[in-house]
Amino acid sequence: MAALARPRDGRMIGGVCAALARRFGTSAGTMRIIFLVSCLLPGPQCLLYLVLWVLFPAEKTASTSW
């Protein structure tokens, strides 16, 4: 399983769904649909998305050493 980090590519808003999709081995589109459907249920899904956006670190880029 991949580490939970928001990827640099494949983001729509914050990269949370893309990070979860990588972690659980599904496509980002599937994870986004699951999130949108879950928003129809009562609960703090949008707040949870914002919290995960803050907690998940951004994916590190490959830096070149001189």
Side-chain angles (χ1 to χ4, degrees):
M1 286 188 166
L4 284 172
R6 294 180 293 116
R8 295 277 180 202
D9 56 337
R11 289 183 178 186
M12 291 284 287
I13 298 175
V16 174
C17 289
L20 291 173
R22 283 187 181 180
R23 172 72 173 171
F24 294 112
T26 64
S27 71
T30 302
M31 194 59 68
R32 290 178 186 120
I33 290 171
I34 291 170
F35 173 73
L36 288 174
V37 169
S38 75
C39 286
L40 298 174
L41 301 171
Q45 289 84 348
C46 291
L47 182 62
L48 178 63
Y49 186 92
L50 293 174
V51 168
L52 292 177
W53 191 352
V54 171
L55 291 179
F56 287 179
E59 186 176 60
K60 295 182 188 329
T61 58
S63 62
T64 56
S65 299
W66 294 82

Short mmCIF file of all heavy atoms in Angstrom, two decimals:
data_model
loop_
_atom_site.label_atom_id
_atom_site.label_comp_id
_atom_site.label_asym_id
_atom_site.label_seq_id
_atom_site.Cartn_x
_atom_site.Cartn_y
_atom_site.Cartn_z
N MET A 1 0.84 -1.18 0.00
CA MET A 1 0.00 0.00 0.00
C MET A 1 0.88 1.25 0.00
O MET A 1 1.88 1.29 0.70
CB MET A 1 -0.91 0.03 1.21
CG MET A 1 -2.05 -0.93 1.16
SD MET A 1 -3.14 -0.60 2.56
CE MET A 1 -4.53 -1.51 2.04
N ALA A 2 0.47 2.23 -0.75
CA ALA A 2 1.22 3.47 -0.84
C ALA A 2 0.99 4.33 0.39
O ALA A 2 -0.01 4.20 1.10
CB ALA A 2 0.79 4.23 -2.09
N ALA A 3 1.93 5.20 0.65
CA ALA A 3 1.80 6.12 1.77
C ALA A 3 0.74 7.17 1.47
O ALA A 3 0.45 7.47 0.31
CB ALA A 3 3.14 6.80 2.04
N LEU A 4 0.15 7.71 2.50
CA LEU A 4 -0.87 8.74 2.31
C LEU A 4 -0.19 10.09 2.10
O LEU A 4 0.29 10.71 3.04
CB LEU A 4 -1.80 8.80 3.52
CG LEU A 4 -2.83 7.69 3.59
CD1 LEU A 4 -3.56 7.73 4.92
CD2 LEU A 4 -3.80 7.81 2.46
N ALA A 5 -0.12 10.49 0.86
CA ALA A 5 0.42 11.80 0.49
C ALA A 5 -0.36 12.29 -0.71
O ALA A 5 -0.67 11.52 -1.63
CB ALA A 5 1.90 11.71 0.18
N ARG A 6 -0.71 13.57 -0.70
CA ARG A 6 -1.46 14.14 -1.82
C ARG A 6 -0.55 14.25 -3.03
O ARG A 6 0.48 14.92 -2.97
CB ARG A 6 -2.01 15.51 -1.44
CG ARG A 6 -3.05 15.43 -0.33
CD ARG A 6 -3.61 16.78 0.07
NE ARG A 6 -2.57 17.61 0.70
CZ ARG A 6 -2.11 18.75 0.19
NH1 ARG A 6 -2.58 19.23 -0.93
NH2 ARG A 6 -1.18 19.42 0.83
N PRO A 7 -0.88 13.57 -4.13
CA PRO A 7 0.00 13.58 -5.31
C PRO A 7 0.03 14.94 -5.99
O PRO A 7 -0.90 15.73 -5.90
CB PRO A 7 -0.63 12.53 -6.22
CG PRO A 7 -2.05 12.47 -5.81
CD PRO A 7 -2.08 12.79 -4.35
N ARG A 8 1.13 15.20 -6.69
CA ARG A 8 1.27 16.45 -7.45
C ARG A 8 0.42 16.41 -8.72
O ARG A 8 -0.07 17.42 -9.18
CB ARG A 8 2.73 16.69 -7.83
CG ARG A 8 3.61 16.91 -6.65
CD ARG A 8 3.53 18.34 -6.23
NE ARG A 8 4.41 18.52 -5.07
CZ ARG A 8 4.27 19.50 -4.23
NH1 ARG A 8 3.32 20.38 -4.39
NH2 ARG A 8 5.06 19.61 -3.20
N ASP A 9 0.26 15.22 -9.30
CA ASP A 9 -0.54 15.09 -10.52
C ASP A 9 -1.82 14.34 -10.22
O ASP A 9 -1.89 13.56 -9.29
CB ASP A 9 0.26 14.36 -11.60
CG ASP A 9 0.75 12.99 -11.14
OD1 ASP A 9 0.85 12.78 -9.92
OD2 ASP A 9 1.01 12.14 -11.99
N GLY A 10 -2.86 14.61 -10.98
CA GLY A 10 -4.13 13.92 -10.78
C GLY A 10 -5.04 14.55 -9.75
O GLY A 10 -6.05 13.97 -9.37
N ARG A 11 -4.71 15.74 -9.31
CA ARG A 11 -5.55 16.44 -8.33
C ARG A 11 -6.73 17.10 -9.03
O ARG A 11 -6.64 17.53 -10.16
CB ARG A 11 -4.78 17.56 -7.65
CG ARG A 11 -3.73 17.11 -6.69
CD ARG A 11 -3.10 18.32 -6.05
NE ARG A 11 -2.09 17.95 -5.07
CZ ARG A 11 -1.48 18.81 -4.30
NH1 ARG A 11 -1.75 20.09 -4.39
NH2 ARG A 11 -0.58 18.41 -3.44
N MET A 12 -7.84 17.17 -8.32
CA MET A 12 -8.97 17.97 -8.79
C MET A 12 -9.07 19.22 -7.92
O MET A 12 -9.07 20.32 -8.42
CB MET A 12 -10.28 17.18 -8.72
CG MET A 12 -10.38 16.05 -9.69
SD MET A 12 -10.72 16.52 -11.36
CE MET A 12 -12.39 17.01 -11.32
N ILE A 13 -9.14 19.03 -6.62
CA ILE A 13 -9.20 20.16 -5.70
C ILE A 13 -7.97 20.12 -4.79
O ILE A 13 -7.05 20.90 -4.96
CB ILE A 13 -10.50 20.15 -4.85
CG1 ILE A 13 -11.71 20.28 -5.78
CG2 ILE A 13 -10.49 21.27 -3.82
CD1 ILE A 13 -13.04 20.15 -5.08
N GLY A 14 -7.96 19.21 -3.86
CA GLY A 14 -6.85 19.15 -2.91
C GLY A 14 -6.00 17.90 -3.03
O GLY A 14 -4.95 17.81 -2.42
N GLY A 15 -6.47 16.92 -3.77
CA GLY A 15 -5.71 15.69 -3.91
C GLY A 15 -6.03 14.63 -2.88
O GLY A 15 -5.37 13.59 -2.84
N VAL A 16 -7.04 14.86 -2.06
CA VAL A 16 -7.37 13.89 -1.01
C VAL A 16 -7.92 12.60 -1.62
O VAL A 16 -7.49 11.51 -1.24
CB VAL A 16 -8.38 14.51 -0.01
CG1 VAL A 16 -8.85 13.47 0.99
CG2 VAL A 16 -7.76 15.68 0.71
N CYS A 17 -8.84 12.71 -2.56
CA CYS A 17 -9.40 11.51 -3.18
C CYS A 17 -8.33 10.75 -3.97
O CYS A 17 -8.31 9.52 -3.96
CB CYS A 17 -10.57 11.87 -4.09
SG CYS A 17 -12.03 12.39 -3.18
N ALA A 18 -7.43 11.47 -4.62
CA ALA A 18 -6.34 10.82 -5.35
C ALA A 18 -5.40 10.09 -4.39
O ALA A 18 -4.94 8.98 -4.69
CB ALA A 18 -5.57 11.84 -6.18
N ALA A 19 -5.13 10.68 -3.24
CA ALA A 19 -4.27 10.03 -2.24
C ALA A 19 -4.94 8.78 -1.68
O ALA A 19 -4.29 7.72 -1.54
CB ALA A 19 -3.96 11.00 -1.11
N LEU A 20 -6.23 8.86 -1.38
CA LEU A 20 -6.95 7.69 -0.88
C LEU A 20 -7.04 6.60 -1.94
O LEU A 20 -6.95 5.42 -1.62
CB LEU A 20 -8.34 8.10 -0.39
CG LEU A 20 -8.37 8.96 0.88
CD1 LEU A 20 -9.78 9.45 1.15
CD2 LEU A 20 -7.83 8.20 2.06
N ALA A 21 -7.22 7.00 -3.19
CA ALA A 21 -7.29 6.02 -4.28
C ALA A 21 -5.97 5.27 -4.43
O ALA A 21 -5.96 4.05 -4.59
CB ALA A 21 -7.66 6.72 -5.58
N ARG A 22 -4.86 5.98 -4.35
CA ARG A 22 -3.55 5.32 -4.42
C ARG A 22 -3.36 4.38 -3.25
O ARG A 22 -2.83 3.29 -3.40
CB ARG A 22 -2.43 6.35 -4.42
CG ARG A 22 -2.23 7.02 -5.73
CD ARG A 22 -0.99 7.88 -5.68
NE ARG A 22 -0.80 8.56 -6.95
CZ ARG A 22 0.20 9.37 -7.20
NH1 ARG A 22 1.09 9.63 -6.25
NH2 ARG A 22 0.32 9.96 -8.37
N ARG A 23 -3.80 4.81 -2.08
CA ARG A 23 -3.62 4.00 -0.87
C ARG A 23 -4.39 2.69 -0.95
O ARG A 23 -3.88 1.64 -0.56
CB ARG A 23 -4.08 4.82 0.34
CG ARG A 23 -4.13 4.08 1.64
CD ARG A 23 -2.76 3.80 2.16
NE ARG A 23 -2.89 3.24 3.50
CZ ARG A 23 -1.91 2.73 4.15
NH1 ARG A 23 -0.70 2.73 3.63
NH2 ARG A 23 -2.09 2.23 5.34
N PHE A 24 -5.63 2.75 -1.48
CA PHE A 24 -6.48 1.56 -1.51
C PHE A 24 -6.51 0.87 -2.86
O PHE A 24 -7.26 -0.08 -3.05
CB PHE A 24 -7.90 1.93 -1.06
CG PHE A 24 -7.95 2.37 0.38
CD1 PHE A 24 -8.24 3.67 0.71
CD2 PHE A 24 -7.66 1.48 1.40
CE1 PHE A 24 -8.28 4.10 2.03
CE2 PHE A 24 -7.68 1.88 2.73
CZ PHE A 24 -7.99 3.18 3.05
N GLY A 25 -5.71 1.34 -3.82
CA GLY A 25 -5.57 0.65 -5.09
C GLY A 25 -6.77 0.78 -6.03
O GLY A 25 -7.04 -0.14 -6.78
N THR A 26 -7.48 1.88 -5.96
CA THR A 26 -8.60 2.12 -6.88
C THR A 26 -8.28 3.34 -7.73
O THR A 26 -7.25 4.00 -7.54
CB THR A 26 -9.92 2.36 -6.11
OG1 THR A 26 -9.78 3.57 -5.34
CG2 THR A 26 -10.26 1.21 -5.20
N SER A 27 -9.16 3.66 -8.64
CA SER A 27 -8.94 4.85 -9.45
C SER A 27 -9.44 6.08 -8.70
O SER A 27 -10.31 6.00 -7.83
CB SER A 27 -9.68 4.73 -10.79
OG SER A 27 -11.06 4.84 -10.60
N ALA A 28 -8.87 7.21 -9.04
CA ALA A 28 -9.26 8.46 -8.38
C ALA A 28 -10.71 8.79 -8.72
O ALA A 28 -11.44 9.33 -7.88
CB ALA A 28 -8.34 9.59 -8.80
N GLY A 29 -11.15 8.47 -9.93
CA GLY A 29 -12.54 8.72 -10.32
C GLY A 29 -13.52 7.95 -9.45
O GLY A 29 -14.55 8.49 -9.03
N THR A 30 -13.19 6.71 -9.18
CA THR A 30 -14.04 5.89 -8.31
C THR A 30 -14.11 6.48 -6.91
O THR A 30 -15.18 6.56 -6.30
CB THR A 30 -13.50 4.45 -8.24
OG1 THR A 30 -13.45 3.91 -9.55
CG2 THR A 30 -14.35 3.58 -7.34
N MET A 31 -12.97 6.91 -6.40
CA MET A 31 -12.94 7.49 -5.06
C MET A 31 -13.74 8.79 -5.02
O MET A 31 -14.43 9.07 -4.03
CB MET A 31 -11.49 7.74 -4.62
CG MET A 31 -11.34 8.00 -3.16
SD MET A 31 -11.93 6.69 -2.06
CE MET A 31 -10.76 5.40 -2.37
N ARG A 32 -13.68 9.57 -6.07
CA ARG A 32 -14.44 10.83 -6.13
C ARG A 32 -15.95 10.55 -6.15
O ARG A 32 -16.73 11.26 -5.51
CB ARG A 32 -14.03 11.64 -7.34
CG ARG A 32 -12.64 12.21 -7.20
CD ARG A 32 -12.22 12.99 -8.43
NE ARG A 32 -10.84 13.40 -8.29
CZ ARG A 32 -9.87 13.04 -9.11
NH1 ARG A 32 -10.12 12.30 -10.17
NH2 ARG A 32 -8.64 13.45 -8.90
N ILE A 33 -16.36 9.53 -6.90
CA ILE A 33 -17.78 9.17 -6.94
C ILE A 33 -18.24 8.69 -5.56
O ILE A 33 -19.32 9.07 -5.11
CB ILE A 33 -18.03 8.10 -8.03
CG1 ILE A 33 -17.86 8.74 -9.40
CG2 ILE A 33 -19.41 7.48 -7.88
CD1 ILE A 33 -17.87 7.75 -10.55
N ILE A 34 -17.43 7.89 -4.90
CA ILE A 34 -17.77 7.43 -3.55
C ILE A 34 -17.93 8.62 -2.62
O ILE A 34 -18.87 8.68 -1.82
CB ILE A 34 -16.70 6.44 -3.02
CG1 ILE A 34 -16.78 5.13 -3.80
CG2 ILE A 34 -16.86 6.20 -1.53
CD1 ILE A 34 -15.63 4.18 -3.52
N PHE A 35 -17.03 9.59 -2.72
CA PHE A 35 -17.12 10.78 -1.87
C PHE A 35 -18.40 11.57 -2.17
O PHE A 35 -19.10 11.99 -1.26
CB PHE A 35 -15.89 11.67 -2.04
CG PHE A 35 -16.02 12.98 -1.31
CD1 PHE A 35 -15.92 13.01 0.07
CD2 PHE A 35 -16.25 14.14 -1.99
CE1 PHE A 35 -16.05 14.21 0.75
CE2 PHE A 35 -16.39 15.35 -1.32
CZ PHE A 35 -16.29 15.38 0.05
N LEU A 36 -18.70 11.77 -3.46
CA LEU A 36 -19.89 12.53 -3.81
C LEU A 36 -21.17 11.85 -3.34
O LEU A 36 -22.09 12.49 -2.86
CB LEU A 36 -19.94 12.77 -5.31
CG LEU A 36 -18.92 13.77 -5.84
CD1 LEU A 36 -18.96 13.82 -7.36
CD2 LEU A 36 -19.15 15.14 -5.26
N VAL A 37 -21.22 10.52 -3.47
CA VAL A 37 -22.39 9.78 -2.99
C VAL A 37 -22.48 9.87 -1.48
O VAL A 37 -23.58 10.01 -0.92
CB VAL A 37 -22.34 8.31 -3.48
CG1 VAL A 37 -23.39 7.45 -2.80
CG2 VAL A 37 -22.51 8.25 -4.99
N SER A 38 -21.34 9.83 -0.80
CA SER A 38 -21.38 9.91 0.66
C SER A 38 -21.86 11.28 1.14
O SER A 38 -22.37 11.41 2.24
CB SER A 38 -20.00 9.61 1.26
OG SER A 38 -19.12 10.70 1.08
N CYS A 39 -21.71 12.30 0.30
CA CYS A 39 -22.19 13.64 0.67
C CYS A 39 -23.72 13.69 0.73
O CYS A 39 -24.28 14.61 1.34
CB CYS A 39 -21.67 14.68 -0.30
SG CYS A 39 -19.93 15.05 -0.03
N LEU A 40 -24.38 12.73 0.11
CA LEU A 40 -25.84 12.67 0.17
C LEU A 40 -26.32 12.13 1.52
O LEU A 40 -27.47 12.31 1.88
CB LEU A 40 -26.39 11.80 -0.95
CG LEU A 40 -26.09 12.28 -2.38
CD1 LEU A 40 -26.56 11.25 -3.38
CD2 LEU A 40 -26.73 13.63 -2.63
N LEU A 41 -25.43 11.48 2.25
CA LEU A 41 -25.76 10.93 3.56
C LEU A 41 -25.52 12.00 4.63
O LEU A 41 -24.70 12.90 4.45
CB LEU A 41 -24.88 9.71 3.85
CG LEU A 41 -24.99 8.56 2.86
CD1 LEU A 41 -23.92 7.52 3.15
CD2 LEU A 41 -26.37 7.94 2.91
N PRO A 42 -26.23 11.91 5.74
CA PRO A 42 -25.98 12.89 6.81
C PRO A 42 -24.60 12.65 7.42
O PRO A 42 -24.14 11.52 7.55
CB PRO A 42 -27.09 12.61 7.82
CG PRO A 42 -27.61 11.27 7.50
CD PRO A 42 -27.30 10.98 6.07
N GLY A 43 -23.94 13.74 7.73
CA GLY A 43 -22.62 13.64 8.35
C GLY A 43 -21.69 14.74 7.87
O GLY A 43 -22.01 15.48 6.95
N PRO A 44 -20.53 14.82 8.47
CA PRO A 44 -19.59 15.91 8.18
C PRO A 44 -18.56 15.55 7.09
O PRO A 44 -17.37 15.74 7.27
CB PRO A 44 -18.91 16.13 9.52
CG PRO A 44 -18.86 14.75 10.10
CD PRO A 44 -20.16 14.09 9.67
N GLN A 45 -19.00 15.02 5.94
CA GLN A 45 -18.07 14.58 4.91
C GLN A 45 -17.21 15.71 4.36
O GLN A 45 -16.01 15.54 4.15
CB GLN A 45 -18.81 13.89 3.75
CG GLN A 45 -19.38 12.55 4.10
CD GLN A 45 -20.74 12.65 4.79
OE1 GLN A 45 -21.18 13.72 5.18
NE2 GLN A 45 -21.41 11.54 4.93
N CYS A 46 -17.81 16.86 4.10
CA CYS A 46 -17.04 17.98 3.56
C CYS A 46 -16.03 18.49 4.58
O CYS A 46 -14.90 18.84 4.22
CB CYS A 46 -17.97 19.10 3.12
SG CYS A 46 -18.95 18.66 1.68
N LEU A 47 -16.41 18.50 5.83
CA LEU A 47 -15.48 18.89 6.89
C LEU A 47 -14.34 17.89 6.99
O LEU A 47 -13.17 18.27 7.15
CB LEU A 47 -16.22 19.01 8.22
CG LEU A 47 -15.38 19.45 9.42
CD1 LEU A 47 -14.81 20.85 9.20
CD2 LEU A 47 -16.23 19.43 10.67
N LEU A 48 -14.65 16.61 6.87
CA LEU A 48 -13.63 15.56 6.90
C LEU A 48 -12.66 15.73 5.74
O LEU A 48 -11.45 15.58 5.91
CB LEU A 48 -14.28 14.18 6.85
CG LEU A 48 -13.34 12.99 6.82
CD1 LEU A 48 -12.51 12.94 8.10
CD2 LEU A 48 -14.11 11.71 6.64
N TYR A 49 -13.17 16.08 4.55
CA TYR A 49 -12.31 16.31 3.39
C TYR A 49 -11.33 17.44 3.69
O TYR A 49 -10.13 17.33 3.41
CB TYR A 49 -13.14 16.66 2.16
CG TYR A 49 -12.33 16.78 0.90
CD1 TYR A 49 -12.15 15.68 0.07
CD2 TYR A 49 -11.73 17.98 0.54
CE1 TYR A 49 -11.39 15.77 -1.09
CE2 TYR A 49 -10.97 18.08 -0.62
CZ TYR A 49 -10.81 16.98 -1.42
OH TYR A 49 -10.05 17.08 -2.55
N LEU A 50 -11.81 18.53 4.29
CA LEU A 50 -10.94 19.66 4.61
C LEU A 50 -9.88 19.29 5.65
O LEU A 50 -8.72 19.69 5.54
CB LEU A 50 -11.77 20.84 5.11
CG LEU A 50 -12.70 21.49 4.08
CD1 LEU A 50 -13.57 22.55 4.75
CD2 LEU A 50 -11.90 22.08 2.93
N VAL A 51 -10.28 18.50 6.62
CA VAL A 51 -9.33 18.05 7.65
C VAL A 51 -8.25 17.16 7.02
O VAL A 51 -7.05 17.32 7.30
CB VAL A 51 -10.06 17.32 8.79
CG1 VAL A 51 -9.09 16.61 9.71
CG2 VAL A 51 -10.92 18.29 9.57
N LEU A 52 -8.66 16.24 6.15
CA LEU A 52 -7.69 15.37 5.49
C LEU A 52 -6.77 16.17 4.57
O LEU A 52 -5.59 15.85 4.43
CB LEU A 52 -8.40 14.26 4.71
CG LEU A 52 -9.13 13.23 5.57
CD1 LEU A 52 -9.85 12.23 4.68
CD2 LEU A 52 -8.17 12.52 6.50
N TRP A 53 -7.30 17.21 3.94
CA TRP A 53 -6.50 18.08 3.08
C TRP A 53 -5.36 18.71 3.88
O TRP A 53 -4.23 18.81 3.43
CB TRP A 53 -7.39 19.14 2.48
CG TRP A 53 -6.80 19.97 1.37
CD1 TRP A 53 -5.51 19.99 0.94
CD2 TRP A 53 -7.50 20.89 0.56
NE1 TRP A 53 -5.37 20.88 -0.08
CE2 TRP A 53 -6.58 21.45 -0.34
CE3 TRP A 53 -8.82 21.32 0.50
CZ2 TRP A 53 -6.93 22.40 -1.28
CZ3 TRP A 53 -9.17 22.26 -0.44
CH2 TRP A 53 -8.23 22.79 -1.32
N VAL A 54 -5.66 19.10 5.10
CA VAL A 54 -4.65 19.72 5.96
C VAL A 54 -3.68 18.66 6.50
O VAL A 54 -2.47 18.90 6.58
CB VAL A 54 -5.33 20.48 7.12
CG1 VAL A 54 -4.32 20.94 8.15
CG2 VAL A 54 -6.12 21.65 6.58
N LEU A 55 -4.20 17.48 6.87
CA LEU A 55 -3.36 16.46 7.51
C LEU A 55 -2.46 15.70 6.54
O LEU A 55 -1.35 15.33 6.91
CB LEU A 55 -4.25 15.47 8.27
CG LEU A 55 -4.94 16.02 9.51
CD1 LEU A 55 -5.81 14.94 10.14
CD2 LEU A 55 -3.95 16.56 10.50
N PHE A 56 -2.94 15.42 5.32
CA PHE A 56 -2.13 14.67 4.37
C PHE A 56 -1.02 15.57 3.83
O PHE A 56 -1.29 16.65 3.32
CB PHE A 56 -2.97 14.17 3.19
CG PHE A 56 -3.90 13.03 3.50
CD1 PHE A 56 -4.72 12.53 2.51
CD2 PHE A 56 -3.97 12.46 4.74
CE1 PHE A 56 -5.59 11.49 2.76
CE2 PHE A 56 -4.84 11.42 5.01
CZ PHE A 56 -5.64 10.93 4.02
N PRO A 57 0.21 15.13 3.91
CA PRO A 57 1.29 15.95 3.36
C PRO A 57 1.27 15.91 1.84
O PRO A 57 0.79 14.96 1.23
CB PRO A 57 2.55 15.28 3.91
CG PRO A 57 2.15 13.86 4.10
CD PRO A 57 0.69 13.88 4.49
N ALA A 58 1.79 16.96 1.23
CA ALA A 58 1.93 16.98 -0.23
C ALA A 58 3.05 16.03 -0.61
O ALA A 58 4.03 15.87 0.12
CB ALA A 58 2.22 18.38 -0.71
N GLU A 59 2.91 15.40 -1.76
CA GLU A 59 3.93 14.48 -2.26
C GLU A 59 5.21 15.25 -2.53
O GLU A 59 5.20 16.34 -3.10
CB GLU A 59 3.41 13.84 -3.55
CG GLU A 59 4.28 12.76 -4.09
CD GLU A 59 3.63 12.12 -5.30
OE1 GLU A 59 3.38 12.84 -6.28
OE2 GLU A 59 3.36 10.92 -5.25
N LYS A 60 6.31 14.68 -2.10
CA LYS A 60 7.59 15.33 -2.31
C LYS A 60 8.02 15.18 -3.76
O LYS A 60 7.80 14.15 -4.38
CB LYS A 60 8.64 14.72 -1.40
CG LYS A 60 8.38 14.96 0.07
CD LYS A 60 9.50 14.37 0.88
CE LYS A 60 9.33 14.33 2.32
NZ LYS A 60 8.69 15.14 3.13
N THR A 61 8.65 16.20 -4.27
CA THR A 61 9.17 16.13 -5.63
C THR A 61 10.62 15.68 -5.58
O THR A 61 11.31 15.85 -4.57
CB THR A 61 9.10 17.50 -6.33
OG1 THR A 61 9.84 18.44 -5.56
CG2 THR A 61 7.66 17.96 -6.46
N ALA A 62 11.06 15.10 -6.66
CA ALA A 62 12.45 14.66 -6.74
C ALA A 62 13.33 15.90 -6.88
O ALA A 62 13.22 16.64 -7.84
CB ALA A 62 12.65 13.72 -7.90
N SER A 63 14.19 16.11 -5.93
CA SER A 63 15.07 17.29 -5.99
C SER A 63 16.43 16.86 -6.53
O SER A 63 16.89 15.75 -6.31
CB SER A 63 15.21 17.92 -4.61
OG SER A 63 15.80 16.99 -3.72
N THR A 64 17.02 17.75 -7.25
CA THR A 64 18.33 17.45 -7.79
C THR A 64 19.42 18.03 -6.90
O THR A 64 19.30 19.14 -6.40
CB THR A 64 18.47 18.06 -9.21
OG1 THR A 64 18.22 19.45 -9.13
CG2 THR A 64 17.51 17.40 -10.17
N SER A 65 20.44 17.27 -6.69
CA SER A 65 21.57 17.73 -5.86
C SER A 65 22.65 18.26 -6.77
O SER A 65 23.00 17.66 -7.77
CB SER A 65 22.12 16.57 -5.03
OG SER A 65 21.14 16.08 -4.18
N TRP A 66 23.23 19.39 -6.42
CA TRP A 66 24.30 20.00 -7.22
C TRP A 66 25.62 19.63 -6.67
O TRP A 66 26.19 19.49 -5.84
CB TRP A 66 24.14 21.51 -7.27
CG TRP A 66 22.90 21.86 -8.01
CD1 TRP A 66 21.63 21.89 -7.52
CD2 TRP A 66 22.79 22.20 -9.39
NE1 TRP A 66 20.75 22.22 -8.49
CE2 TRP A 66 21.43 22.44 -9.66
CE3 TRP A 66 23.69 22.33 -10.42
CZ2 TRP A 66 20.97 22.79 -10.89
CZ3 TRP A 66 23.21 22.69 -11.65
CH2 TRP A 66 21.86 22.92 -11.89
#
